[in-house]
Amino acid sequence: MSSSFVTAIRRNHALEHATIGVLMTKLGAGTRMMGHASVDGFHVVGDVSTEDVTEAAHEGLARLKRGEHHLAVSPLCGTNLVTAGLLAGLASMLSMRRKSGMSHLPQVVLAATGAVILAQPLGRLAQKHLTTFSEVEGVDIVGVTSSGHGQRTRHKIRTVQD
């Protein structure tokens, strides 16, 4: 994979987070949505109008360009879940290395819980440095299309990058 390919996905991931963040502020935190970034843009899936998604994408892009880099990191990102799962699994495995049976269950639970607590700041760091890139100068939105309806409405936000 070329670095420009990876950078494009990371920038679109940052813009996806900014867009969903703007939408959640406008529509309320109870609005259920999910997103997925790709090299040519990103998707927002949920019961949200195309007009709201379009406005939020443009606002999110403008705010990232103005330096609001915090919008690129989301507490709801799948990166956080992967980080928590990976650390909890590793901590559990390491705590079970020396013993077998149920006698070590308290140590496994303690190790996994500690790992999940540690994963919260590490997931945000992973987003900031690995899975998103908030420097979006040269990124432009070239179109928004929608398909489906209700909670299954899929909005495709197409981007181009210098």
Side-chain angles (χ1 to χ4, degrees), residues 29-83:
T31 304
R32 295 179 51 122
M33 291 174 277
M34 63 175 258
H36 172 76
S38 62
V39 73
D40 66 340
F42 62 97
H43 290 93
V44 173
V45 180
D47 192 4
V48 184
S49 75
T50 304
E51 180 180 328
D52 284 342
V53 171
T54 302
E55 289 174 9
H58 285 283
E59 180 180 336
L61 181 59
R63 290 175 64 183
L64 285 171
K65 286 182 177 182
R66 285 194 309 260
E68 293 186 53
H69 301 292
H70 65 279
L71 293 172
V73 177
S74 170
L76 305 173
C77 181
T79 300
N80 297 335
L81 296 173
V82 170
T83 302

Side-chain angles (χ1 to χ4, degrees), residues 2 7 15 27 30 53-54 67 83 90 97 105-107 113 118 120 127 129-130 141 149 159:
S2 73
T7 300
L15 181 52
L27 303 174
V53 171
T54 302
T83 302
L90 288 173
R97 280 190 2 208
L105 184 60
Q107 290 88 357
T113 301
L118 182 62
Q120 292 179 15
Q127 284 182 68
H129 297 289
L130 298 173
I141 296 168
H149 63 280
T159 62

